[in-house]
Amino acid sequence: MRYHNSMKRIYSRDIDEVDLLSNNAGNDRPLRLLYAGDDDIDRAAGYFACVMHDLGWEIDYICSEELPPSELCDPAALSRYDLIVLSDFGPDENHSPFMEAIASAHHRGVPFLMIGGWGSFCGDNNWYLGNPGADILPVDLRRGDDRVNHWQGIALSPAPDAPPALADLPWDRPPLVAGCNRLIPGRNSRVLLTGAPLQLGPGGTPATAEGEPEPPLPLLIRRDRSWALAFDLAPHWIAGMVDWGNERRSLELGRAEYLPGSEERGVFPAARKLGVEVGNYYIAFIRNLIEMIMEGNDGRYHK
């Protein structure tokens, strides 16, 4: 595979342009997200990107098949982000400097979230086993394919001691996901969300489980500033959760441009054409997840 050095910036609604890699921006700057993976922002990544843009974040985005500009292999540059998110981003040896910089920036205090997918955790290729990113995950990785596909759906439920930002969502009408990474909580980690695979018979009637029932799947795990979400936030594992809610909302991205250091130049025109329709509880889940991640870091994020 031939990689390009490329990164796109999706500007926030409030501030049109900020030099991310400088210290010139003041306290009025928007919160800054480094987001890598999920194909591209005019494809699967558009779901999470649209929600984060709607929340007022400025997003620097790296496509699954791209390498970041060399500046982002410097932990000091990554330390200027407020959050780093990897989702279905399968690294190889070409990404080693980038992954080492992410690990170092996290140790300096930057919150980190890995979202599930075929290129997350072990996935279908032991992606993060032995990778510097594994050292900051709140889960233990075991060699082998950790993907779980469940065509009848996995019903989500908060853990008994889940914080209010998670527990107060309308779980009396839980959403379903169609798959996840099978995660093993690491030492000193905490499981906040679980999933129960459904077993349905003819006509959708509950089926009698054969043998011992499968224990709940751990789906959201945290340790300090490190978070792991076992399912993705875009098709196809997201299943019905993308429509979770009693209202449908249309979200769009704004202006996006290639940043210096990218092989391409200028505006990324597909971003302006991108819009997604999602349920209002899907948005609330992401908003509250980000609130929990950011809580206690710099106190700047509020619903």
Side-chain angles (χ1 to χ4, degrees), residues 199 208-213:
Q199 298 192 46
T208 302
E210 297 180 2
E212 292 293 325

Side-chain angles (χ1 to χ4, degrees), residues 184-250:
I184 303 170
R187 185 178 180 183
N188 297 324
S189 65
R190 180 182 173 194
V191 177
L192 302 180
L193 183 69
T194 63
L198 300 181
Q199 298 192 46
L200 303 178
T205 58
T208 302
E210 297 180 2
E212 292 293 325
E214 184 175 349
L217 295 164
L219 297 181
L220 178 62
I221 302 170
R222 73 164 297 184
R223 183 181 61 226
D224 298 327
R225 298 180 311 279
S226 178
W227 296 69
L229 182 67
F231 54 89
D232 59 19
L233 291 173
H236 74 288
W237 270 351
I238 189 66
M241 189 178 183
V242 75
D243 295 311
W244 187 28
N246 53 18
E247 298 176 8
R248 179 179 293 176
R249 286 195 55 194
S250 295

